[in-house]
Amino acid sequence: GGVVRSGEGIAPPMFLCGIGACPLDCGSTGLLAVVLAMVVGVYVIFFGLLFGAADAGGLDSAHEAMPCDGGLGACRTISCICGNVIPEGYVFMFTCLFLTSAVLVQRFSAMGHRHRPQHLCVKSVLVAGSLLLLLTAIFPERYDADGQLLSQSLEVLHLLGVMGSGTLLMFVPYGWFVVYWRTHREEVPLRSVAARSCLVCMALALGVSMQVFGSAVADAPTNLCAYQPDAASCEAFPALPDA
């Protein structure tokens, strides 16, 4: 038969010109609005920090023409920026991640074929990946006044949410789709597999680049210039002589 919908079976949805990159559930559940809010919010803030004044990032206003002295220069990730430089950003992240997790859990739990062990396993893994999003939403990446992580254990939970949810929610559906394509090639166009393969390759490239080049830089969200008496002392820090 043809490709069945999620309420009747567990076959992958095929929409958006046959590519299936945007399932119908994204519109019917409202998840598309959450995704759009995250994309618009993140990129508007990112380019605002990149091209705007440094004091927009919450750091030293003496370097208004140097965006790297703002949030982008202080942190490597959006989690660090929202947890330390722009605290209200974490309220935005928590709301979006919580709503995404709630919608995904609802839709994955509604998938059919509960009597098939392999489908039950897939559903359980996808629900677990959706719940892991809550760890990132609840536990921010926070640093103290000395630039040290407030808690290593909470940082582990934060990273578990980031990497665990990303791995389960991307690679498990991708593997499931490839297996389905191999058995239904007459129904599933090759371009749908190519589109998903490109997305997975880009995610892998991002992960590898973070591992390879991430150790070359370090987060420094502490505003040390706030403790200096003037701009000249700020420029000289940390090369100031010992008192």
Side-chain angles (χ1 to χ4, degrees):
V3 178
V4 293
R5 297 183 182 275
S6 58
E8 303 170 0
I10 200 166
M14 295 296 301
F15 299 99
L16 195 61
C17 302
I19 295 179
C22 183
L24 185 62
D25 281 354
C26 285
S28 62
T29 61
L31 182 60
L32 186 60
V34 180
V35 173
L36 180 62
M38 294 178 67
V39 172
V40 173
V42 169
Y43 281 98
V44 168
I45 296 300
F46 173 79
F47 287 105
L49 291 173
L50 184 61
F51 297 111
D55 57 351
L59 295 184
D60 181 30
S61 59
H63 303 83
E64 294 185 357
M66 302 173 64
C68 284
D69 286 332
L72 295 182
C75 294
R76 299 171 294 172
T77 63
I78 184 177
S79 299
C80 173
I81 293 178
C82 290
N84 301 274
V85 182
I86 312 177
E88 59 270 23
Y90 226 94
V91 178
F92 170 79
M93 287 186 61
F94 173 83
T95 303
C96 291
L97 291 175
F98 172 76
L99 290 175
T100 301
S101 177
V103 171
L104 291 179
V105 168
Q106 178 191 32
R107 300 310 300 168
F108 289 146
S109 300
M111 291 167 58
H113 290 288
R114 296 184 176 84
H115 60 282
R116 296 185 179 181
Q118 66 271 30
H119 292 163
L120 180 61
C121 180
V122 170
K123 287 176 55 177
S124 301
V125 171
L126 294 177
V127 169
S130 303
L131 292 175
L132 285 176
L133 287 171
L134 296 177
L135 295 180
T136 304
I138 296 173
F139 302 108
E141 187 175 1
R142 294 294 301 274
Y143 291 85
D144 59 20
D146 296 323
Q148 303 296 319
L149 287 169
L150 288 178
S151 173
Q152 290 290 345
S153 58
L154 296 184
E155 176 69 6
V156 170
L157 291 175
H158 177 85
L159 294 177
L160 177 62
V162 173
M163 295 184 289
S165 62
T167 300
L168 296 181
L169 293 178
M170 174 165 289
F171 295 104
V172 172
Y174 176 72
W176 166 44
F177 190 86
V178 170
V179 171
Y180 185 84
W181 169 74
R182 291 180 60 186
T183 57
H184 298 76
R185 296 190 182 186
E186 70 283 356
E187 302 170 356
V188 181
L190 181 61
R191 62 180 180 272
S192 62
V193 181
R196 285 169 170 80
S197 299
C198 289
L199 177 62
V200 170
C201 289
M202 288 189 292
L204 287 174
L206 174 62
V208 171
S209 63
M210 289 288 290
Q211 291 296 322
V212 174
F213 302 106
S215 59
V217 294
D219 294 325
T222 303
N223 184 9
L224 299 176
C225 286
Y227 305 98
Q228 305 303 318
D230 49 45
S233 299
C234 178
E235 290 288 352
F237 192 86
L240 293 172
D242 295 333

